[in-house]
Amino acid sequence: MIYLDAAATTPVRREVLEAMWPYLTGEFGNPSSHHGVGASAARALADARRTVAEWFGCRPAEVVFTSGGTEADNLAVKGIALASTRGRHLVLGATEHPAVVESVDYLHRVHGFESTVVPVDAAGLIDPAEFAAALRPDTALATVMLANNEIGTVQPVSALAAAARDRGIPFHTDAVQAAGWLDLRLDALGVDALSISGHKLGAPKGVGALVVRQRIGLEPVLHGGGQERGRRSGTENVAFAVGLAAAVSLADPARVAASAAATTALRDEFVRGVLERVPDAVLTGHPERRLPSVASFCFPGTSGEGVLLGLEERGVIVSSGSACAAGSDEPSPVLLALGIPPRVAQTAVRFTLGADTTRAELVSALAALEAAVASLRTLR
Ligand code: PLP
C-alpha cells in the first residue's frame, strides 16, 4: 500500500507509543488524586505540558490539552468570543475548517453573534488589506487557519495577526495541518491562540492542544471539576498528553526544516509529473505558498470518488477532498470559495505526503493515477 493521505491522519510513531505505555499501565493514576500514584501522573502531565509549551515558546500555563483539533477550535472560538467584552462580531476566513465554521454558526444561532467571512483569491489566499477592513470595534475574535487541509495554501498569518493586534482584537489560528511542517512559535506568528491535533504528527487520534495567551479571556466549553485551570474540565488524558509531547519533541525545528525541504522537492516533482502526464489536470491552491506535503488537483471529466477508488484498486490511498467532510457528495466549500465551478470541484483529489514518503512511491502513484483517470474518462 502507498499511503498518500497523511493530512487525514498518520500512524502513531513507535517512540510516541513507548512514551505513552507506562501511563496506560503501571503509572495509571489520576493527576487530581492526593496520593503517590496520582502525583506521578500529575508530574508526567506537567512534564508533557512543559515540553509542548517549549515547542510553542509559551508558558506551560498557556497550554490546554484537549481531545483534538476539533475541540481546540471549538474552545478557541466559543471560549474567546463568549469571554469578550468587545462585542458580538467575529471575523473568519472563507476556507476555515468545519470545526471553526460550525462554532461560529453556533455563536450566531444561540448567542446572536454576527460574522464577516473574508474571501480568498483563486489560490486560496486572504488579502491582508481585506482582512483588516473586516475588523470592527465590536469584533470579539478573528480566526484564520495557518494552512488549509484541502489545498495546503498557507495564509499570511503573521500579517493578519498584526492587523488584529493593532486593534486589540484576539487572533486565533487553526494550525492543525501546519504542525510538523511549519514553525509554530507563537511569537513569530504573533497569534494569541493556536490549535493543534496529535494525530496529524504521529500521536494518537483524540488528543490535541489549544495554546492561548494568559491575557486572553476564555470561557470554558466543558464544565466540571475545573481541570486545566478551569478551562477544560474532565480527568486529564495523561497518556495521550505524554504522547503529544513525545510527538512534538520529534518535530524539533531542525528536523521540521529538513523534512519540509525534502518533502517539498518530492512534492514539486510529483506535481510536475501529474500536470505533464494527466491531461487537463489542474493544481488547486497556491503554487508556492503551500504546505510541503499537499498536492491537490481537480481532474475534469472524472469524479473525485471515482479517482479515489481507482487509485485504491491500484494500491494507492488518497482523499477525494477533506476527510472531515467525508460521506458527503456536496462539492467542497473550500474549492467553491476559490471560485472553482461545482462540477470541477467534484473531481478533486488530494495527495498528502508524510515525512517518510519516498520518490519510488510517488513514481508508482503517478502511474496509477494516469491509469485511473484514463479509465474513468473512457467510461464516460
Ligand atoms: N482543523 C483542521 C485544519 C483539520 O484538518 C482537522 C482534521 O483534519 C481538524 C481541525 C480537526 O482535528 P481533529 O481530527 O483532531 O478533531
PDB file of all heavy atoms in Angstrom, residues 352-365:
ATOM      1  N   THR A 352      -1.498  13.608   0.044  1.00  0.00           N
ATOM      2  CA  THR A 352      -0.672  14.256   1.068  1.00  0.00           C
ATOM      3  C   THR A 352       0.445  13.329   1.508  1.00  0.00           C
ATOM      4  O   THR A 352       0.221  12.193   1.910  1.00  0.00           O
ATOM      5  CB  THR A 352      -1.492  14.762   2.272  1.00  0.00           C
ATOM      6  OG1 THR A 352      -2.414  13.771   2.682  1.00  0.00           O
ATOM      7  CG2 THR A 352      -2.229  16.043   1.941  1.00  0.00           C
ATOM      8  N   LEU A 353       1.653  13.883   1.407  1.00  0.00           N
ATOM      9  CA  LEU A 353       2.855  13.116   1.705  1.00  0.00           C
ATOM     10  C   LEU A 353       3.130  13.150   3.205  1.00  0.00           C
ATOM     11  O   LEU A 353       2.796  14.121   3.891  1.00  0.00           O
ATOM     12  CB  LEU A 353       4.058  13.739   0.985  1.00  0.00           C
ATOM     13  CG  LEU A 353       4.180  13.554  -0.527  1.00  0.00           C
ATOM     14  CD1 LEU A 353       3.021  14.174  -1.281  1.00  0.00           C
ATOM     15  CD2 LEU A 353       5.489  14.196  -1.020  1.00  0.00           C
ATOM     16  N   GLY A 354       3.742  12.094   3.692  1.00  0.00           N
ATOM     17  CA  GLY A 354       4.241  12.089   5.068  1.00  0.00           C
ATOM     18  C   GLY A 354       5.745  12.284   5.034  1.00  0.00           C
ATOM     19  O   GLY A 354       6.359  12.282   3.957  1.00  0.00           O
ATOM     20  N   ALA A 355       6.332  12.431   6.223  1.00  0.00           N
ATOM     21  CA  ALA A 355       7.781  12.646   6.279  1.00  0.00           C
ATOM     22  C   ALA A 355       8.535  11.431   5.726  1.00  0.00           C
ATOM     23  O   ALA A 355       9.696  11.555   5.334  1.00  0.00           O
ATOM     24  CB  ALA A 355       8.203  12.933   7.718  1.00  0.00           C
ATOM     25  N   ASP A 356       7.874  10.261   5.670  1.00  0.00           N
ATOM     26  CA  ASP A 356       8.562   9.043   5.209  1.00  0.00           C
ATOM     27  C   ASP A 356       8.251   8.688   3.754  1.00  0.00           C
ATOM     28  O   ASP A 356       8.710   7.660   3.262  1.00  0.00           O
ATOM     29  CB  ASP A 356       8.162   7.846   6.098  1.00  0.00           C
ATOM     30  CG  ASP A 356       8.465   8.118   7.565  1.00  0.00           C
ATOM     31  OD1 ASP A 356       9.447   8.845   7.832  1.00  0.00           O
ATOM     32  OD2 ASP A 356       7.720   7.612   8.431  1.00  0.00           O
ATOM     33  N   THR A 357       7.453   9.501   3.083  1.00  0.00           N
ATOM     34  CA  THR A 357       7.095   9.184   1.693  1.00  0.00           C
ATOM     35  C   THR A 357       8.354   9.195   0.809  1.00  0.00           C
ATOM     36  O   THR A 357       9.211  10.077   0.953  1.00  0.00           O
ATOM     37  CB  THR A 357       6.075  10.221   1.168  1.00  0.00           C
ATOM     38  OG1 THR A 357       4.928  10.167   2.002  1.00  0.00           O
ATOM     39  CG2 THR A 357       5.666   9.916  -0.272  1.00  0.00           C
ATOM     40  N   THR A 358       8.441   8.217  -0.099  1.00  0.00           N
ATOM     41  CA  THR A 358       9.641   8.118  -0.944  1.00  0.00           C
ATOM     42  C   THR A 358       9.334   8.489  -2.398  1.00  0.00           C
ATOM     43  O   THR A 358       8.178   8.455  -2.825  1.00  0.00           O
ATOM     44  CB  THR A 358      10.190   6.666  -0.940  1.00  0.00           C
ATOM     45  OG1 THR A 358       9.187   5.819  -1.522  1.00  0.00           O
ATOM     46  CG2 THR A 358      10.519   6.194   0.461  1.00  0.00           C
ATOM     47  N   ARG A 359      10.405   8.782  -3.132  1.00  0.00           N
ATOM     48  CA  ARG A 359      10.244   9.109  -4.550  1.00  0.00           C
ATOM     49  C   ARG A 359       9.663   7.906  -5.301  1.00  0.00           C
ATOM     50  O   ARG A 359       8.784   8.051  -6.158  1.00  0.00           O
ATOM     51  CB  ARG A 359      11.609   9.500  -5.140  1.00  0.00           C
ATOM     52  CG  ARG A 359      11.545   9.707  -6.642  1.00  0.00           C
ATOM     53  CD  ARG A 359      12.838  10.262  -7.229  1.00  0.00           C
ATOM     54  NE  ARG A 359      12.990  11.677  -6.969  1.00  0.00           N
ATOM     55  CZ  ARG A 359      13.934  12.207  -6.203  1.00  0.00           C
ATOM     56  NH1 ARG A 359      14.824  11.432  -5.621  1.00  0.00           N
ATOM     57  NH2 ARG A 359      14.007  13.494  -6.017  1.00  0.00           N
ATOM     58  N   ALA A 360      10.124   6.710  -4.950  1.00  0.00           N
ATOM     59  CA  ALA A 360       9.634   5.496  -5.637  1.00  0.00           C
ATOM     60  C   ALA A 360       8.116   5.369  -5.452  1.00  0.00           C
ATOM     61  O   ALA A 360       7.394   5.002  -6.388  1.00  0.00           O
ATOM     62  CB  ALA A 360      10.346   4.271  -5.081  1.00  0.00           C
ATOM     63  N   GLU A 361       7.637   5.679  -4.259  1.00  0.00           N
ATOM     64  CA  GLU A 361       6.183   5.595  -4.024  1.00  0.00           C
ATOM     65  C   GLU A 361       5.440   6.592  -4.915  1.00  0.00           C
ATOM     66  O   GLU A 361       4.384   6.289  -5.462  1.00  0.00           O
ATOM     67  CB  GLU A 361       5.871   5.895  -2.554  1.00  0.00           C
ATOM     68  CG  GLU A 361       6.253   4.767  -1.609  1.00  0.00           C
ATOM     69  CD  GLU A 361       5.938   5.102  -0.162  1.00  0.00           C
ATOM     70  OE1 GLU A 361       6.215   6.248   0.272  1.00  0.00           O
ATOM     71  OE2 GLU A 361       5.411   4.226   0.549  1.00  0.00           O
ATOM     72  N   LEU A 362       6.014   7.769  -5.062  1.00  0.00           N
ATOM     73  CA  LEU A 362       5.339   8.794  -5.868  1.00  0.00           C
ATOM     74  C   LEU A 362       5.373   8.444  -7.353  1.00  0.00           C
ATOM     75  O   LEU A 362       4.422   8.726  -8.079  1.00  0.00           O
ATOM     76  CB  LEU A 362       5.976  10.163  -5.608  1.00  0.00           C
ATOM     77  CG  LEU A 362       5.740  10.689  -4.183  1.00  0.00           C
ATOM     78  CD1 LEU A 362       6.533  11.973  -3.941  1.00  0.00           C
ATOM     79  CD2 LEU A 362       4.259  10.948  -3.931  1.00  0.00           C
ATOM     80  N   VAL A 363       6.440   7.796  -7.790  1.00  0.00           N
ATOM     81  CA  VAL A 363       6.517   7.360  -9.188  1.00  0.00           C
ATOM     82  C   VAL A 363       5.408   6.332  -9.448  1.00  0.00           C
ATOM     83  O   VAL A 363       4.670   6.412 -10.435  1.00  0.00           O
ATOM     84  CB  VAL A 363       7.930   6.774  -9.492  1.00  0.00           C
ATOM     85  CG1 VAL A 363       7.945   6.036 -10.826  1.00  0.00           C
ATOM     86  CG2 VAL A 363       8.973   7.893  -9.474  1.00  0.00           C
ATOM     87  N   SER A 364       5.234   5.387  -8.519  1.00  0.00           N
ATOM     88  CA  SER A 364       4.169   4.381  -8.685  1.00  0.00           C
ATOM     89  C   SER A 364       2.800   5.029  -8.615  1.00  0.00           C
ATOM     90  O   SER A 364       1.891   4.665  -9.369  1.00  0.00           O
ATOM     91  CB  SER A 364       4.245   3.319  -7.586  1.00  0.00           C
ATOM     92  OG  SER A 364       5.497   2.737  -7.564  1.00  0.00           O
ATOM     93  N   ALA A 365       2.645   6.010  -7.700  1.00  0.00           N
ATOM     94  CA  ALA A 365       1.341   6.669  -7.545  1.00  0.00           C
ATOM     95  C   ALA A 365       0.980   7.422  -8.820  1.00  0.00           C
ATOM     96  O   ALA A 365      -0.178   7.426  -9.242  1.00  0.00           O
ATOM     97  CB  ALA A 365       1.377   7.626  -6.352  1.00  0.00           C
TER      98      ALA A 365
END
